[in-house]
Amino acid sequence: MKTKFLSIALLTGILFVSCKTETKKDDINSLSPERIQALTTQAYIFSYPLIMNYATMYKQAIDDASPSYVGGFDVFRHYGFYTSDNKDIVSPNNDTPYSWAWLDLRSEPWVLTMPAIDAERYYTAQIDDMWGFVLDSPGSVLDGQEGGTYLVASPEWNGTVPEGIRRVIRGESQFVGVLARTGANSPEDLPNVQKIQAGYKLMPLHEYLNQPAPEVAKKIDWIPFVNGDENTIAAFKYVNFALPFTLPDAQDKPALDSMAVLGITPGMPWDTTTFTNATKAAIRAGIADAEKQFASYRLHAKSGNLFNTRKAIKTDYMARTFGVLEGIFGNYASQATYISWHEDSDGNPINTANASYKVTFKKGETPPAKYFWSITMYNLPGRFLVANPIDRYSIGSRSKQLKTNPNGSIDIYISKTSPGKALESNWLPAPDGEPFIIMRVYGPGQSVLDGTYKLPPMVKMK
């Protein structure tokens, strides 16, 4: 039991090893393996969002050979419904077609304009910094349907806010991601969505003010991101590279000082060839320890704690990191709340390799939602949408084919093969193995927000 309590303590607030004596990177091999392992675990949990946001930004805004490339910085790329072919981010939703952009804020702020839309449709333009903090989410929930103009600025910008700007949005990094979501009622509704997407506009501040352009920011010699590096000792080279583009927060000083003992510091090389085999083994063990903590945290994680502002998350690094791990760029809880099934009604792990399941919502017991709810299926460990013969990746309140039982209840069948033509309207195809199943509630009601709403059980079918 003592071990369990220690684990919980580490998960809810990382216990940083004292770093009163600074150690240079060249001295890392002189540290004990136990100390290296502990420092690595802390550093990995703290910096994982920076690693994965760099990875996503590199694929979408820098690597023009990537299928995920959006066209560079400061431009939107608009998408339709995501499918199993889309692998630029984990756990994408299939309810609200995406519009992606990455902004380079080093020279000047950028002006984001959102169009007015129809009254019943959900939309938002979420902005995250490189640390995974949600900075703002202009749109339906916060601002209504009439549209607006917003200024997105770097943490150092201190200029005059022009007239017509609803508010200034800034975080802790010089690069930020923008993920606009536009609600779509069906594939037939996609042309209406595309008209709205065309109304998302980005403009540099000098153009908005009709002024001369400022000096262009220094060109960056980007380091390519290699898929899989995030799980190895190579992960920290991306931290060192990205740290100079962030503004340190005083709350993070213990974490940053702790990482510096390992040589994880802004702009410094992460040269693993100088590490002894014992040092490398200790670093790998530290990453493995962090991954074990992620697995434990998953069992009691709540989405409302994962995707939020610095003010809300503070120094809960595990919550911030787990949000990025499970669903990078996840919504504020007030925008959309995410709930997952982790086991069946018998308390066993869900596995659709050789079993089928049924979820039954009794009459009146679907989740309260201002906009809609959906259940989306992903595979593991990738957390990507599951390829299937009917191209169905989610099911929910807007699914026109979804049938209700005579008593008002709704059965949803979860299996890798069809439950039969008579039941296929309510079938959510699953992978050949362990699934990752998320319910999203858009514009969640109070019982969803406060956690009193309970998911119906996942029942293994005989």
Side-chain angles (χ1 to χ4, degrees):
M1 292 301 292
K2 291 181 179 179
T3 302
K4 180 178 180 181
F5 286 128
L6 176 58
S7 175
I8 292 173
L10 287 169
L11 292 173
T12 56
I14 301 174
L15 306 177
F16 285 94
V17 175
S18 175
C19 302
K20 291 181 179 179
T21 303
E22 289 295 327
T23 305
K24 296 181 180 179
K25 178 178 180 292
D26 293 341
D27 298 328
I28 185 173
N29 294 317
S30 66
L31 299 174
S32 71
E34 293 79 13
R35 182 163 169 78
I36 294 172
Q37 183 173 336
L39 288 168
T40 299
T41 299
Q42 297 165 5
Y44 193 69
I45 293 172
F46 176 79
S47 63
Y48 186 87
L50 194 59
I51 298 165
M52 295 313 298
N53 273 290
Y54 181 81
T56 305
M57 183 176 74
Y58 185 82
K59 289 184 286 186
Q60 292 188 326
I62 300 166
D63 181 9
D64 59 8
S66 168
S68 304
Y69 187 64
V70 302
F73 286 101
D74 312 319
V75 295
F76 271 118
R77 179 180 175 181
H78 306 296
Y79 294 80
F81 290 103
Y82 262 43
T83 72
S84 55
D85 293 330
N86 297 103
K87 293 181 170 60
D88 47 347
I89 62 170
V90 298
S91 309
N93 81 45
N94 200 46
D95 307 308
T96 58
Y98 288 163
S99 298
W100 273 106
W102 285 88
L103 305 184
D104 180 349
L105 305 173
R106 291 175 299 151
S107 292
E108 63 179 322
W110 279 76
V111 177
L112 166 68
T113 299
M114 298 179 67
I117 66 167
D118 45 298
E120 301 302 319
R121 191 184 300 272
Y122 170 82
Y123 80 150
T124 187
Q126 179 180 321
I127 302 166
D128 282 21
D129 68 11
M130 296 290 285
W131 287 113
F133 291 118
V134 181
L135 309 182
D136 206 329
S137 202
S140 298
V141 173
L142 296 182
D143 303 295
Q145 310 297 93
E146 66 272 18
T149 303
Y150 307 84
L151 190 70
V152 187
S154 77
E156 297 94 347
W157 185 76
N158 59 0
T160 302
V161 180
E163 292 185 9
I165 298 296
R166 267 193 152 179
R167 57 184 176 271
V168 177
I169 301 168
R170 69 176 88 219
E172 299 176 19
S173 61
Q174 295 175 325
F175 297 92
V176 299
V178 183
L179 174 54
R181 297 170 168 94
T182 309
N185 297 316
S186 66
E188 294 73 29
D189 188 35
L190 199 54
N192 297 319
V193 170
Q194 291 169 336
K195 290 178 183 177
I196 295 169
Q197 290 177 322
Y200 296 131
K201 303 294 185 182
L202 289 168
M203 181 183 296
L205 180 59
H206 79 271
E207 284 188 15
Y208 183 80
L209 297 174
N210 196 26
Q211 295 178 350
E215 183 179 350
V216 176
K218 182 180 178 181
K219 185 179 179 181
I220 297 172
D221 187 13
W222 301 100
I223 58 172
F225 187 86
V226 178
N227 287 334
D229 272 1
E230 68 271 21
N231 303 123
T232 72
I233 62 175
F236 295 115
K237 74 178 179 181
Y238 304 106
V239 181
N240 282 10
F241 185 85
L243 276 172
F245 306 112
T246 68
L247 182 70
D249 189 286
Q251 298 176 76
D252 297 335
K253 189 177 186 306
L256 294 168
D257 288 349
S258 178
M259 293 200 308
V261 176
L262 295 176
I264 306 172
T265 54
M268 292 295 292
W270 177 251
D271 184 7
T272 59
T273 63
T274 65
F275 299 164
T276 65
N277 289 336
T279 294
K280 292 177 183 178
I283 294 171
R284 293 189 189 100
I287 292 173
D289 285 347
E291 291 172 338
K292 289 176 184 176
Q293 291 190 32
F294 297 158
S296 297
Y297 190 85
R298 180 176 290 113
L299 300 178
H300 59 84
K302 295 181 179 179
S303 71
N305 299 331
L306 308 181
F307 313 110
N308 221 313
T309 62
R310 159 71 81 169
K311 183 178 180 181
I313 292 179
K314 298 182 177 66
T315 58
D316 189 347
Y317 304 130
M318 177 59 78
R320 184 185 67 184
T321 284
F322 192 76
V324 170
L325 175 70
E326 292 289 282
I328 194 170
F329 276 79
N331 265 320
Y332 279 131
S334 61
Q335 298 275 338
T337 297
Y338 311 98
I339 319 172
S340 300
W341 285 269
H342 297 291
E343 56 187 28
D344 64 22
S345 56
D346 296 320
N348 298 315
I350 301 167
N351 194 313
T352 47
N354 298 299
S356 300
Y357 300 84
K358 182 173 73 172
V359 172
T360 299
F361 293 91
K362 295 179 182 178
K363 183 178 180 180
E365 293 187 4
T366 54
K370 180 178 180 180
Y371 298 104
F372 58 91
W373 60 268
S374 69
I375 302 172
T376 307
M377 180 67 65
Y378 305 95
N379 59 28
L380 284 174
R383 294 183 180 81
F384 299 120
L385 295 169
V386 177
N388 64 87
I390 61 173
D391 293 327
R392 183 180 297 161
Y393 306 100
S394 64
I395 197 167
S397 58
R398 299 177 307 164
S399 301
K400 293 181 179 180
Q401 87 288 346
L402 192 64
K403 294 180 180 178
T404 301
N405 297 321
N407 65 359
S409 65
I410 300 173
D411 295 321
I412 293 178
Y413 299 91
I414 295 172
S415 57
K416 69 177 182 180
T417 57
S418 172
K421 285 295 181 183
L423 304 177
E424 201 165 273
S425 62
N426 291 31
W427 175 40
L428 181 57
D432 184 14
E434 186 181 358
F436 181 45
I437 311 168
I438 295 179
M439 168 176 274
R440 290 177 169 89
V441 185
Y442 289 84
Q446 186 57 40
S447 64
V448 176
L449 286 172
D450 64 23
T452 57
Y453 177 80
K454 302 301 178 185
L455 287 176
M458 180 78 58
V459 179
K460 186 175 181 180
M461 299 176 68
K462 306 300 182 183

